[in-house]
Amino acid sequence: GENVEQHPSTLSVQEGDSAVIKCTYSDSASNYFPWYKQELGKGPQLIIDIRSNVGEKKDQRIAVTLNKTAKHFSLHITETQPEDSAVYFCAATQNSGGSNYKLTFGKGTLLTVNP
Amino acid sequence: KAGVTQTPRYLIKTRGQQVTLSCSPISGHRSVSWYQQTPGQGLQFLFEYFSETQRNKGNFPGRFSGRQFSNSRSEMNVSTLELGDSALYLCASSLRTLNTEAFFGQGTRLTVV
């Protein structure tokens, strides 16, 4: 089955700096890679995703890149703000609309943005 | 549009008891997936239901089961609770078509004592 490794497990940055979280996956059939943000006491919130036919996607201060050959994808947050502090999870799945729709998650990255 | 609703938010149960958790997906979503979140194991897939049928199952013992109703609402049941079942149980709903996203509820925090 799929295995997703996520690094680093903790990341502390100063407000305004950039943050980068990296994930690798093992199953070359995986084609959908979402990122979730989880704040204390809440469920994971989808913040951005990327599909295997795209190399990069950007949404305001958040961007995700995908390297299918190396089987890794990364989350980039620019101009970080204290409200970006949370646990971030990457995930991978083979999303074909068929019977294999389940997400395999990384272990999470605790991001702390210091004012 | 209302999000994914999970009830109850918190539960305390005793070892050996059973528990039923409920999930109402986003209106129009027919797929409901369940995940267990613990500090040690992270987020782990339990099972997925679509059109009242279990489509996928993770590596959990048979004490964990679920079902889905015709209105897409889902329940999961854990029988003979063990201390290790203490976790945040999350459900996610999706349209389950090609290129679809999964949206999570706030979870049910289960504590087994």
Side-chain angles (χ1 to χ4, degrees):
Chain A
E2 176 65 276
N3 183 53
V4 177
E5 300 281 341
Q6 181 173 347
H7 299 281
S9 56
T10 61
L11 179 59
S12 181
V13 300
Q14 289 300 122
E15 183 177 358
D17 286 350
S18 295
V20 180
I21 302 171
K22 298 182 179 182
C23 291
T24 60
Y25 62 99
S26 62
D27 188 350
S28 57
S30 289
N31 59 2
Y32 175 64
F33 308 91
W35 285 87
Y36 288 87
K37 173 185 181 183
Q38 187 174 27
E39 296 173 319
L40 201 60
K42 296 186 178 180
Q45 175 194 1
L46 179 67
I47 56 172
I48 196 167
D49 57 15
I50 191 166
R51 293 177 174 87
S52 58
N53 58 345
V54 175
E56 183 173 359
K57 182 177 178 180
K58 189 173 181 180
D59 182 4
Q60 299 183 341
R61 297 185 297 108
I62 295 174
V64 58
T65 59
L66 171 66
N67 182 326
K68 283 190 299 182
T69 304
K71 295 205 200 90
H72 66 71
F73 56 113
S74 300
L75 177 71
H76 304 252
I77 306 175
T78 58
E79 300 172 20
T80 53
Q81 301 166 3
E83 50 266 38
D84 294 330
S85 296
V87 179
Y88 290 80
F89 292 95
C90 62
T93 189
Q94 182 184 350
N95 184 351
S96 64
S99 64
N100 292 321
Y101 191 81
K102 68 175 189 179
L103 292 167
T104 300
F105 284 88
K107 293 291 190 187
T109 296
L110 173 61
L111 173 64
T112 304
V113 180
N114 302 299
Chain B
K1 182 154 130 172
V4 180
T5 303
Q6 290 188 246
T7 57
R9 289 292 311 279
Y10 303 93
L11 267 177
I12 300 176
K13 290 286 187 178
T14 305
R15 270 184 305 173
Q17 287 186 313
Q18 73 165 16
V19 67
T20 299
L21 313 182
S22 178
C23 173
S24 293
I26 293 169
S27 178
H29 286 194
R30 295 169 62 195
S31 168
V32 174
S33 301
W34 289 89
Y35 293 80
Q36 182 195 64
Q37 185 175 27
T38 59
Q41 298 299 317
L43 279 150
Q44 292 188 291
F45 173 78
L46 281 156
F47 30 65
E48 184 217 359
Y49 285 85
F50 178 73
S51 293
E52 303 178 63
T53 302
Q54 186 180 92
R55 302 290 177 145
N56 285 283
K57 190 177 190 317
N59 297 322
F60 279 82
R63 300 184 298 106
F64 291 81
S65 63
R67 59 177 174 169
Q68 187 179 35
F69 302 95
S70 58
N71 62 358
S72 295
R73 190 177 71 85
S74 176
E75 290 182 345
M76 75 163 269
N77 184 76
V78 188
S79 62
T80 319
L81 283 166
E82 300 176 0
L83 295 179
D85 297 333
S86 295
L88 180 67
Y89 289 89
L90 292 157
C91 104
S93 84
S94 74
L95 284 168
R96 209 176 186 276
T97 56
L98 190 62
N99 298 330
T100 188
E101 301 94 344
F103 299 94
F104 282 84
Q106 297 217 62
T108 294
R109 171 73 63 186
L110 171 65
T111 302
V112 182
V113 296

